[in-house]
Amino acid sequence: MLSRTAESLYWTGRYMERADFLARILEAAVRLAALPARDGAAATAWASAIASAGVSRAFAASARTPSEKSVREYLAFAPDNPSSIRACINAARTNARSVRTALTIELWESINGAWNGLNDFGEPTKRDDFVRFLEWVKGVSLAVEGASSRTMLRNDAYWFLRLGGAIERADNTARLLDVKYHLLLPAGERVGGQLDYFQWTTLLREVSALTAYRWVYRESVRPWLVADLLVLNRQMPRSLASCQAMIVSYLERLAADYGRRGPAQRLASARLTQFNEARIEDIFQSGLHEYILAFLGENNALANAIHDQYLV
Amino acid sequence: MSGTPGSATVRKSYRTLARWLETAPPDLLQARSRQAELFFRRMGVTFAVYGDVESNERLIPFDVVPRIIGAAEWEHLEKGLKQRVSALNAFLKDIYGPQDCIKAGIVPADLILTNPHYRPEMQGRRPPGDIWTHICGVDLVRTGEDGFLVLEDNCRTPSGVSYMLENREMMMRLFPDLFAEHRIRPVETYTDMLLASLRASAPEHAGADPTIVVLTPGPYNSAYYEHSFLADKLGVELVEGRDLFVNDDIVFMRTTEGPKQVDVVYRRVDDDWLDPLTFRPDSTVGVPGIMAAYAAGNVTLTNAVGTGVADDKAVYTYMPEIIRFFSGGDPILGNVPTWRCREPDALKEVLDRLPELVVKEVGGSGGYGMLVGPAATKAEIEDFRKKLEADPDDFIAQPTLSLSTAPTLCGTELQSRHVDLRPFVLSSPAGVRVAPGGLTRVALKAGSLVVNSSQGGGTKDTWVLDD
Amino acid sequence: MRIRIDHETRYAYARPARFIVQTLRLTPRSTEGQQVRDWRIETDVDARIRRSEDAFGNIVHSLYTERPTDSLTVRVTGEVATVDTGGVLKGFPERLSPLVFLRDTPLTHADPALRELAGRVGDGDPLSRLHRLMSLIHGEVTFMVGATTPDHTAADAWAQKQGVCQDHAQIFIACARRLGIPARYVSGHLHRRDGIVEQDAAHAWAEAHVENLGWVGFDPANGVCPTEHYVRVACGLDALGATPIRGTSYGGAGERMTVALRVRHMQQTQQQQQRQGWS
């Protein structure tokens, strides 16, 4: 397969995943901001959405201050934000269009449909409309993922599309967890207090894991268990360990198809081994934040290795 | 229905169709026509129009009434096309070789050697099998009962073949019963013929299974749909310049499994943009160094570089002599009578008769930069007169032809519209072949003679009957 | 006269290049006027170099680097023994008809001002018209480094009446073609009689085709025809076609190019020393 084709598929996967993630962050922020709390809780919720999206610096540089209006606009639509929901869907569609013949009709139509839908939605200003927009975005990513999984041949095209999604998802989960753990709780609120509790449940909701949590732990929501779920639990499809396992399996399929393993495979499976040996207690002991920072760095290094091995 | 102006007769090949149409329900054609448009839109069979920012992808209007050519007529046409394209290849081989036709006075030296499409870089080069124009589109018009005349040769990167194939596909879907009543020769074999032709043109080292790619300037090119269509049907990669690179005088494509050597590039990028190290340095759609690989004989480019000198409109006027010189026989297909404005007597006559003539820029294509005298305003004619007087070498003129017409669905009824025909001729060291059919272009405005899709023309399926 | 040339072109990249492809027109051909000896092309990084010949008769090398690098130096060194031929080129393999060199190119297109200049040449036999053209350009276009860039056209340079040897040559070519005389661009080296050895850039001049004489050199920047002080390297329709190095880098960014050129007259003693050094 042409490297350019693989690259476009990979980025289609990444951008669709990111659009979904942004919708989830915004949904959580809407929910948190609506919570009765001390002064500043709402503003904190919006600021943390910006932080979770990993765009704090660009947001500050754009001379905006965090408010419901500015954050919603910036993360969903702003033309000056190259990773807004709109920009992500546009970019996914542009990438998909350039490799249209590598896609099934169903997959192309779902991505092209998302792009058409953007225009139909416009920029909803009312909160209800905005929330409906976010639901639509999540639906779009489900449709795209469904179309690819149900209609594409299991060949390199599919693995690259999926690989992009998995790399992005690992990055997103890590950021989400870090922001909650470090930034979210305003000064004066008690750890383990009502706001704290509500924030953790919201975080679980964001990754569609509240029910999963109760099912797995049969306990009230506790931070270290949430971290365990999102970092190490292999049953949880968004956990870092699961993402890592998916990345490894896609890379191994590529290695098998091509009859050759390379640096990307070696790097990915070494990381998976680390997950298998890790315990959440140890992670907390040495610092969750440090752990996540290291993870983000390695995830990025893996993305570079994939790029160098296949995409240029 | 179909015929030449003034003749009320229906050509024999149309009789079955005429009977069928008489018995068909009145709104059938319109319904099918709407259906066709829907299909084309959904499949994205589009065409980008230069300078049209509003809608950079649009459909070319498709007319559901087929254009029909009888078996005997086709046989004659095919013979003529093979003769002409063989002569074009021989001409190009000679121009970039010994230049005997210049020495013999068949074509003026300056017309060739100062022609912008003559590529000095190619002088002395010999592509495999001495084939230069592997894929050639010859534009024909019927002007009378006695057959077809050649309006233009397209030796560079002729487009339109995807429409020939898609139109057939559509017609078989829309009118299966009509296909049962006619014996129509298939055009679907074109892509197999093309693949065989490209394979046969590969450099010797490539062996039995050469790696072939289609090189496109990218999704913003007007013919991008066709490029991806052809790559798909040929089962080869559709590449852009950045997917290829040259190392050690060998062309490679970047793949997920590492660099892969490429043997044949069916390129849809014009000469000027092909290699920034040889031609335009600002080209971003080409492949740096590909001309070095080409000169070293490590890759075949189809069509060869420099073929534009053979389809130049000024060189066109010498085609009858060129055919005689290289084939030893009279041309089976004639040229449309043409004045060469570079000749003072011809120029004088053209200037005198400007309102009744069609004047074309020798380097122009796609219906741009031409004057259709009878359809032009006085001011347009005077404007053109000035251009013509300033640079007569740049123009040729032709009489306004009484082009033949074909029945065409216009709104709710069938009307006569002017048509031309572009068959596709494939040449390789293994021989010359013509796909039985072609692209029929139709001028959709009543009385109009301009059939170019960029100027509001449409297309039809072209049926060549088997008996 | 024996002329020794050391010509170094260095490319430095702020972001390293994965791969570099270049077309080099750096190697002179032996003709009756110049005997090329001991000519070498070297690079400071591993690279494959393929030699070929283009339709203009130039010796061309294709260069491909073998691994990522943040700089590349192409160094040519060699020695040419020259004799004066009165500017006439002899013993050069011509594959192309002189008529080819009547072609218009974007860099040598004659705009109305250049046509007017061509018109001032007046009548006469071709050779004297070409000499008049050369003096006109030499007299009216000031040699000025930095006034033009390599993509300046003949028309641009003529409009500002300033330029370097490339501009003088292209103005000459544009006008000669306008007069119906085939003309082409030549890149090469000039040994300076003022004793200056270090030069900023290679030299360039023009050749025009004169019936019964063949190709004759004209150096409008200096107002003379080439002598034994000239080393002819490559020719083309215009400056672009005879460019010493045309290339592309993949992945590289922030490219900077510097040239170091030494053109020396080898004295008898030096030659002897050098020979002894080799033996």
Side-chain angles (χ1 to χ4, degrees), chain B residues 55-382:
Chain B
S55 59
N56 65 2
E57 288 171 33
R58 78 175 194 212
L59 288 181
I60 297 186
F62 171 67
D63 182 58
V64 294
V65 186
R67 193 261 188 88
I68 305 178
I69 297 170
E73 269 181 315
W74 181 258
E75 198 184 332
H76 173 77
L77 260 184
E78 188 174 354
K79 225 184 274 169
L81 288 167
K82 284 184 173 174
Q83 179 198 44
R84 190 171 181 101
V85 173
S86 300
L88 283 167
N89 272 310
F91 171 68
L92 285 160
K93 175 188 171 190
D94 181 53
I95 287 300
Y96 291 109
Q99 301 186 337
D100 290 335
C101 68
I102 295 178
K103 290 173 195 148
I106 303 296
V107 284
D110 66 312
L111 183 65
I112 301 301
L113 301 176
T114 63
N115 192 303
H117 298 297
Y118 166 76
R119 300 289 173 183
E121 293 81 1
M122 293 304 292
Q123 191 64 49
R125 308 272 182 230
R126 294 185 67 178
D130 289 318
I131 302 298
W132 289 74
T133 179
H134 305 76
I135 301 131
C136 188
V138 181
D139 290 350
L140 302 165
V141 289
R142 182 200 282 282
T143 53
E145 270 318 305
D146 46 345
F148 289 86
L149 294 178
V150 177
L151 192 59
E152 196 172 302
D153 303 292
N154 295 278
C155 301
R156 283 172 261 178
T157 53
S159 60
V161 80
S162 58
Y163 297 100
M164 171 179 92
L165 297 168
E166 293 279 27
N167 289 353
R168 174 61 54 85
E169 186 80 27
M170 184 61 63
M171 289 300 282
M172 291 176 74
R173 199 188 285 210
L174 297 177
F175 303 101
D177 44 341
L178 261 181
F179 281 82
E181 287 181 40
H182 290 81
R183 292 186 54 193
I184 301 158
R185 294 184 57 186
V187 289
E188 297 83 333
T189 49
Y190 176 80
T191 45
D192 289 340
M193 285 163 54
L194 176 58
L195 189 61
S197 200
L198 294 173
R199 282 208 172 120
S201 304
E204 240 169 73
H205 69 78
D209 189 20
T211 301
I212 299 168
V213 298
V214 175
L215 174 65
T216 173
Y220 299 103
N221 183 268
S222 63
Y224 182 73
Y225 172 77
E226 177 158 306
H227 307 160
S228 65
F229 174 90
L230 285 173
D232 224 26
K233 296 279 174 192
L234 292 169
V236 305
E237 292 287 359
L238 176 67
V239 302
E240 297 178 19
R242 59 196 161 118
D243 296 320
L244 301 180
F245 68 96
V246 179
N247 193 354
D248 210 15
D249 288 0
I250 293 169
V251 180
F252 294 94
M253 69 175 149
R254 294 167 211 286
T255 79
T256 49
E257 294 173 83
K260 183 166 189 204
Q261 181 168 354
V262 173
D263 304 303
V264 180
V265 179
Y266 176 14
R267 49 97 178 204
R268 300 291 296 256
V269 171
D270 292 340
D271 290 354
D272 262 340
W273 305 96
L274 201 53
D275 183 349
L277 303 192
T278 300
F279 302 115
R280 291 187 63 140
D282 56 342
S283 169
T284 55
V285 296
V287 185
I290 198 169
M291 286 298 287
Y294 188 41
N298 291 335
V299 69
T300 298
L301 300 180
T302 61
N303 290 347
V305 172
T307 53
V309 70
D311 68 17
D312 177 275
K313 291 191 175 67
V315 173
Y316 158 86
T317 63
Y318 294 91
M319 272 312 287
E321 291 91 326
I322 289 171
I323 292 171
R324 263 180 225 110
F325 185 74
F326 289 107
S327 76
D330 283 333
I332 299 167
L333 296 171
N335 265 15
V336 173
T338 305
W339 288 272
R340 301 165 185 149
C341 300
R342 68 202 314 265
E343 295 169 1
D345 289 352
L347 176 65
K348 189 177 172 305
E349 192 178 348
V350 170
L351 288 170
D352 287 348
R353 297 173 55 187
L354 217 43
E356 49 179 298
L357 301 179
V358 177
V359 190
K360 297 174 177 175
E361 224 171 312
V362 292
S365 67
Y368 292 100
M370 65 189 263
L371 174 82
V372 182
T377 65
K378 272 221 166 69
E380 284 167 340
I381 291 175
E382 288 319 302

Side-chain angles (χ1 to χ4, degrees), chain A residues 259-298:
Chain A
R260 197 159 64 195
R261 287 167 58 88
Q265 278 82 8
R266 288 196 290 277
L267 197 56
S269 49
R271 284 182 62 200
L272 189 58
T273 312
Q274 287 169 18
F275 273 106
N276 292 340
E277 292 160 359
R279 293 185 320 141
I280 198 69
E281 293 81 358
D282 301 340
I283 291 173
F284 266 85
Q285 201 130 51
S286 50
L288 182 62
H289 177 63
E290 287 69 24
Y291 181 82
I292 288 175
L293 277 189
F295 176 86
L296 285 171
E298 284 166 21

Side-chain angles (χ1 to χ4, degrees), chain C residues 149-228:
Chain C
T149 60
D151 53 6
H152 266 67
T153 65
D156 295 338
W158 176 245
Q160 61 188 60
K161 302 285 190 294
Q162 285 179 336
V164 293
C165 50
Q166 162 177 329
D167 304 297
H168 289 86
Q170 291 194 138
I171 293 171
F172 181 91
I173 292 163
C175 294
R177 289 181 189 159
R178 191 69 202 166
L179 297 172
I181 303 172
R184 66 190 182 191
Y185 186 94
V186 178
S187 67
H189 299 291
L190 170 61
H191 167 254
R192 292 177 61 148
R193 270 187 268 200
D194 57 11
I196 294 178
V197 169
E198 312 279 342
Q199 301 184 13
D200 296 330
H203 193 46
W205 58 95
E207 281 173 351
H209 193 264
V210 180
E211 208 67 45
N212 300 324
L213 211 51
W215 288 100
V216 185
F218 292 88
D219 178 2
N222 292 304
V224 294
C225 289
T227 61
E228 77 267 31

